[in-house]
Amino acid sequence: MNLPQEVLLAEPRGFCAGVDRAIEIVERALQKFGAPIYVRHEIVHNTYVVNDLKAKGAIFIEALSDVPPGATLVFSAHGVSKAVQMEAHARGFSVFDATCPLVTKVHVEVAKLAQEGYEFIMIGHKGHPEVEGTMGQLDHGIHLVEDVADVARVQPLQTAKLAVVTQTTLSVDDAAEITAAVRARFPQVREPKQQDICYATQNRQDAVKVLSPQVDLVIVVGSPTSSNSNRLRELAAKLGTTAYMVDSADELRPEWFKGIARVGLTAGASAPEILVKQVIDRIKALGAVSVRSMNGIEETVKFPLPKGLKLDAATGLELAERRPETGAA
C-alpha cells in the first residue's frame, strides 16, 4: 500500500494573538494570586489548553454562582454579555477580561451604533459563546442570521438604521455570501469599516486555500468546539480535498493515509504547536519522510494585557515589554 511521503505545513497556523493573550492572562493570574483562578467558559476552545490550565489550578465554570465570593474570575477570549459583566460586578469578584480585543471592537461598535438608534443583523452561529456575548451587549434590536435563508426571514422593527456585524471566526466566503444577501434585502445597511472577521481567521483560511490544491489530504488540528478550526476543515473539503479535524494525534486513523502521497497540515487559532508536532510524529511513523513549510504571512500582532497583571520585575515578565501593534503583518 502507498504511504504518505511528505507533510506540507500551512503558514500561518495555530495560536493567534488573542489566544496567546487569553492564556497568558490565566497563567499570570495564577502566578500572582495563586490557585484557584476561576474562568467563565473554556478560556479558548481547545481541550489540551483547558486541561493544561486545569492542572495549573484554573477552575472552569459556566454559572457565576459556582464562583465563591471574593474570588478572581477571568472572562474567556470569546467575550461575555452585559448581564454577565454586571452579575460579576454585583458578586464582587476580582475580574480580568480575556476577551479578544477584536471581539471587544465589535462590542464597542454595537454599543456606539445602538445609541444612534441602530438595529443589528448579526451573522454567526447560534449558541456560540462569542455570539451570545455580542448579542448580549443589547437587550433588544439585534437579530441573528446563520445562513442566507435566515436573511429572508429576519424582521427588524425599522430599516432606516440597520447595521451588520459578524462573529469573528466565520468562514470568510460564507460571511461574504450572507452579507451580500443582507445588502440585497436591505440596500442601505451599514457594514463595518473593516470586516469583523479577525485577521488570524482570514490568514489561516487563505493559507488553506493555497495548501489544499497541493495535497491529497488535509488534517486540521483543533477541538470540536473551535469555530475557526471547523471552518478550516470545511474549507479544505469545499476545495475538493479530503479533510479531517483531530483534537490530538491519537485520533489519526491509518486508513486515512492509504494511497496518499502528500498530507497538508494546519491548526486552528486555539490549537498549540505541541499538538501539531505530535501529529507530524504520528504521520512520520506512518511513513512520511519529509516535512516542509509553505511560505505565508508572518503575523506580528500583539495585544496588551489588562492592568493588574504586571508581575515582579525579577521574573522578567514586565507588562511594559508587550507593546500593542495594530493590524496583521
Side-chain angles (χ1 to χ4, degrees):
M1 103 183 153
N2 294 329
L3 293 166
Q5 295 296 304
E6 182 176 52
V7 178
L8 186 57
L9 298 174
E11 292 286 356
R13 65 179 181 277
F15 278 3
C16 62
V19 166
D20 267 333
R21 174 180 179 269
I23 293 167
E24 188 170 1
I25 285 170
V26 178
E27 289 179 338
R28 286 204 184 196
L30 284 164
Q31 282 179 270
K32 188 162 184 179
F33 305 108
I37 296 294
Y38 290 83
V39 184
R40 186 189 180 276
H41 193 68
E42 292 185 345
I43 186 70
V44 298
H45 283 156
N46 185 267
T47 308
Y48 179 95
V49 169
V50 168
N51 288 340
D52 183 55
L53 291 173
K54 278 181 184 174
K56 292 173 180 174
I59 296 175
F60 292 87
I61 54 92
E62 294 296 328
L64 297 191
S65 56
D66 292 334
V67 183
T72 300
L73 174 69
V74 177
F75 292 146
S76 83
H78 311 99
V80 297
S81 67
K82 288 286 186 199
V84 170
Q85 290 175 359
M86 289 191 289
E87 184 186 348
H89 180 72
R91 289 178 180 270
F93 302 137
S94 175
V95 175
F96 292 100
D97 190 353
T99 302
C100 173
L102 298 176
V103 175
T104 301
K105 178 177 81 74
V106 178
H107 290 185
V108 169
E109 181 79 353
V110 165
K112 182 170 77 75
L113 291 178
Q115 287 185 327
E116 297 174 22
Y118 276 83
E119 279 188 69
F120 299 87
I121 292 175
M122 174 153 202
I123 302 171
H125 298 293
K126 187 176 182 180
H128 189 279
E130 184 190 326
V131 169
E132 291 177 349
T134 299
M135 294 187 71
Q137 297 306 300
L138 304 176
D139 55 14
H140 68 282
I142 187 162
H143 313 272
L144 181 65
V145 296
E146 295 191 86
D147 53 33
V148 169
D150 284 346
V151 175
R153 291 190 285 265
V154 71
Q155 295 294 334
L157 294 176
Q158 51 82 31
T159 59
K161 286 191 169 183
L162 196 61
V164 65
V165 292
T166 66
Q167 183 180 332
T168 62
T169 54
L170 297 179
S171 155
V172 175
D173 295 338
D174 288 353
E177 184 184 9
I178 299 166
T179 301
V182 172
R183 199 186 304 117
R185 186 171 168 208
F186 307 107
Q188 71 278 45
V189 71
R190 176 179 175 142
E191 296 179 47
K193 291 189 189 75
Q194 291 181 308
Q195 67 162 16
D196 292 332
I197 293 173
C198 90
Y199 77 93
T201 297
Q202 172 97 50
N203 288 348
R204 279 149 193 71
Q205 289 179 21
D206 288 347
V208 164
K209 287 179 180 179
V210 176
L211 175 75
S212 292
Q214 301 182 52
V215 299
D216 308 303
L217 171 71
V218 170
I219 301 292
V220 178
V221 181
S223 292
T225 49
S226 167
S227 173
N228 79 88
S229 301
N230 277 289
R231 304 296 81 76
L232 295 176
R233 188 204 62 75
E234 288 171 2
L235 178 58
K238 203 173 185 179
L239 293 167
T241 308
T242 302
Y244 299 101
M245 191 171 79
V246 297
D247 213 355
S248 69
D250 296 341
E251 294 182 3
L252 294 171
R253 305 284 290 273
E255 56 266 29
W256 295 349
F257 299 90
K258 288 178 182 173
I260 298 296
R262 185 182 283 166
V263 179
L265 180 57
T266 189
S270 49
E273 188 65 12
I274 187 171
L275 298 182
V276 174
K277 290 190 168 80
Q278 290 168 358
V279 167
I280 290 170
D281 289 343
R282 179 85 177 102
I283 299 173
K284 279 182 172 177
L286 291 169
V289 291
S290 69
V291 180
R292 67 182 176 90
S293 293
M294 286 174 21
N295 291 325
I297 290 172
E298 183 184 347
E299 295 174 344
T300 58
V301 178
K302 286 213 181 347
F303 295 129
L305 294 169
K307 288 176 183 169
L309 286 181
K310 189 172 181 178
L311 299 178
D312 189 281
T315 67
L317 294 169
E318 283 293 334
L319 179 55
E321 290 172 7
R322 295 176 61 91
R323 300 192 183 282
E325 297 178 32
T326 54

